[in-house]
Amino acid sequence: VSSDMNTLVDVRIRDLSAKGARVIVAASVQIPEKFNFLIVAEDLLYPAVAKWRVGDIVGIEFTGEARSSLLRKLQ
């Protein structure tokens, strides 16, 4: 998700911890330096930064506390 919440990028989460995640995304997709990372199943939105990328694998670090995305209220 972009920092302005206007762009969504579908990823597959490979590893997830309290500090970040390792995700798979199409190699052609550009990931912004700072963004909000939404975990739909948990309805949580994390502020995040991309720390590294190798091909289609991206390492993400959470930079703050998660908050509710309010998606469930919209459904």
Side-chain angles (χ1 to χ4, degrees):
V1 179
S2 67
S3 59
D4 62 7
M5 298 295 286
N6 287 328
T7 304
L8 297 176
V9 175
D10 190 26
V11 302
R12 281 185 284 159
I13 299 172
R14 300 305 291 172
D15 293 310
L16 180 65
S17 73
K19 295 182 179 186
R22 183 170 55 102
V23 300
I24 296 177
V25 61
S28 62
V29 173
Q30 292 189 8
I31 303 294
E33 184 179 325
K34 294 180 181 181
F35 54 92
N36 292 300
F37 185 76
L38 173 63
I39 301 176
V40 175
E42 297 177 5
D43 190 38
L44 292 175
L45 192 64
Y46 291 84
V49 294
K51 295 300 280 187
W52 56 267
R53 183 174 192 157
V54 177
D56 62 352
I57 302 173
V58 179
I60 294 171
E61 179 182 358
F62 301 143
T63 59
E65 295 294 318
R67 65 183 191 276
S68 173
S69 72
L70 304 175
L71 277 181
R72 292 203 171 111
K73 291 183 181 183
L74 298 175
Q75 295 177 346

